[in-house]
Amino acid sequence: MASHIILPPDDDDDAKAALPFSAMCVRISRDSYPNLRALRNASHASLTDAAYVKISEGDFGYVLDDVPHLADYLPDVPTYPNPLQDHPAYSTVKQYFVNEDDTVPQKVVVQKNSRRGVHFRRAGPRQRVNFESDEVKACIVSCGGLCPGLNTVIRELVCGLAHMYNVNNIFGIQNGYKGFYSSNYVAITPKTVNDIHKRGGTVLGTSRGGHDTKKIVDNIQDRGINQVYIIGGDGTQKGAYEIYKEIRKRGLKVAVAGVPKTIDNDIAIIDKSFGFDSAVEEAQRAINSAHVEACSAENGIGLVKLMGRYSGFIAMYATLASRDVDCCLIPESPFYMDGEGGLLQYVERRLKENKHMVIVVAEGAGQDIIAKSIPASDQQDASGNKLLLDIGLWLTHKIKDHFKSKKMEMTIKYIDPTYMIRAIPSNAADNVYCTLLAHSAIHGAMAGYSFTVGMVNGRHAYIPFYRVTSTRNKVKITDRMWARLLSSTNQPSFLSQKDIDEAREADRLANKPPLPSVANHNVAKAFDQSASASSSGEI
Ligand SMILES: Nc1ncnc2c1ncn2[C@@H]1O[C@H](COP(=O)(O)OP(=O)(O)OP(=O)(O)O)[C@@H](O)[C@H]1O
Ligand SMILES: O=P(O)(O)OC[C@H]1O[C@](O)(CO)[C@@H](O)[C@@H]1O
Ligand SMILES: [Mg+2]
């Protein structure tokens, strides 16, 4: 396999000076290094990214988009035999350890002449680890909004560390990132977390905002923490990346493991985020109630708002699962209210045909059309996320006004179950998924890697932070899954050819990974090919 291609060769002082200190520890061969002019011309952002990107090439267009390891900047970091080899439960398993070279392809649908494309390092226990059990001082933090399964991940991180690796020094950080520097660290043991998976929420507390990289890493350093487990969404993973970079700058022997959490299922690369299935299942209860209400009235409409700030996955899957929904509106698919082919005309037609209808709307849908009638407030939450206008309430009024003006009798019941859905404990399938994610995170941290863990095409993998934070997973309205939805609800697509062209172009750009401008031609080709890989939409 070719050596790393992104970082400057050891004897190129000029190029090294252009990069952060931490980049200098990874060597590449002079032959494979792109020219210095390209590096100088690269923007500051791509230089910074380039410094932390580890890409290597193999045969037939194989590319490994690797995760950083302690040995990248601590070349003498010692290794130890994995204690699992003596564990009564695991030692009998044939081939329990994953092969060091095992990787997981980003794209599994291939053609006869396809190049092998981009791969990620396979998650799992290694023969040798970089921490001794009694040396580990781990901490766990949860950030962002709630999601079913948070407590299961926390429980399994604690139990996995203790039961698999005999680690007994584990601390909970309270109330999100700010807890690193503003609250006491709470010692946690398998006993204290024993039954928390049966409860919703997070026993550690969570918050938005408050990410202060320097203060966080000062505290990690002062308290001698050497494994940091960070559970949270896209914002949280960006924060984890900043923490990792600061740790590396300071040359600390600390592994950072991100466990992606998002009820919206909007994290890039991974198949599905934990808690998503539970949320879709719980949403059925609201949709069923809306259906009952709608069926029991003359011209009844049941309107359900589900979460999904930028990505309408919960709305799409809940609609597909239910089969009682006549219209599903998501942020990715623009719609309009009035005139030929508009939502109001469709509602009218549906009521005439069926006497009732159910509408599911994702909270981020139609924000552009509400903004035309309500002055945009531009308010943000503590993390800088835009606060949304209530599309459910707005639609309710619009539909009521429309039928009033037409003197047509109707009843509309608006159900907003959003926080009820988020607050439930995870279902059985998510509990298992959370357990495996936590175990994969532990194996990776013990082996000295820093990463976001996730399932890629059904296999657990360690994904570089920059890959999960640079784009957002969205429903592709040009994919078969959205077509299936349209054919199940029979709703109009509301799309003009211009909308479709724009959506195709947006998909193309969103799927283009942020390759540092210094990457070579072969790597760029592999990334382009994997960009067309299926994400959670296309099956
Ligand atoms: N670009 C960033 N750099 C560093 N920290 C960030 C960044 N974006 C967000 N954070 C921090 O991450 C934490 C969580 O972010 P946010 O509130 O956006 O939730 P999230 O992790 O995206 O989860 P979700 O949106 O699914 O609820 C906050 O403490 C926030 O300060
Ligand atoms: O009200 P909160 O806690 O900020 O959370 C709301 C947001 O959290 C999410 O569930 C996840 O980002 C969004 O769907 C939603 O907009
Ligand atoms: Mg987010």
Side-chain angles (χ1 to χ4, degrees), residues 347-389:
V347 172
E348 211 175 308
R349 195 177 81 223
R350 209 75 194 113
L351 289 184
K352 281 184 184 144
E353 284 164 4
N354 246 12
K355 302 280 173 258
H356 72 273
M357 86 178 286
V358 175
I359 302 173
V360 165
V361 62
E363 62 178 334
Q367 292 295 311
D368 52 335
I369 47 174
I370 320 180
K372 284 182 195 147
S373 57
I374 301 175
S377 65
D378 270 348
Q379 282 184 351
Q380 295 181 337
D381 68 16
S383 293
N385 301 304
K386 192 173 181 312
L387 289 180
L388 300 176
L389 299 163

Side-chain angles (χ1 to χ4, degrees), residues 142-147 175-178 206-213 216 230-243 261-267 309-310 381-385 422 469 472:
S142 53
C143 313
L146 293 184
C147 176
N175 302 321
Y177 277 133
K178 64 180 179 203
T206 185
S207 67
R208 299 193 187 272
H211 182 100
D212 183 324
T213 312
I216 291 170
I230 301 176
I231 316 166
D234 56 338
T236 306
Q237 301 305 314
K238 285 178 192 157
Y241 191 19
E242 295 307 315
I243 291 172
K261 166 235 60 113
T262 154
I263 200 167
D264 295 351
N265 199 31
D266 58 359
I267 302 254
R309 202 197 292 270
Y310 303 108
D381 68 16
S383 293
N385 301 304
R422 222 170 63 158
T469 54
R472 182 175 276 133

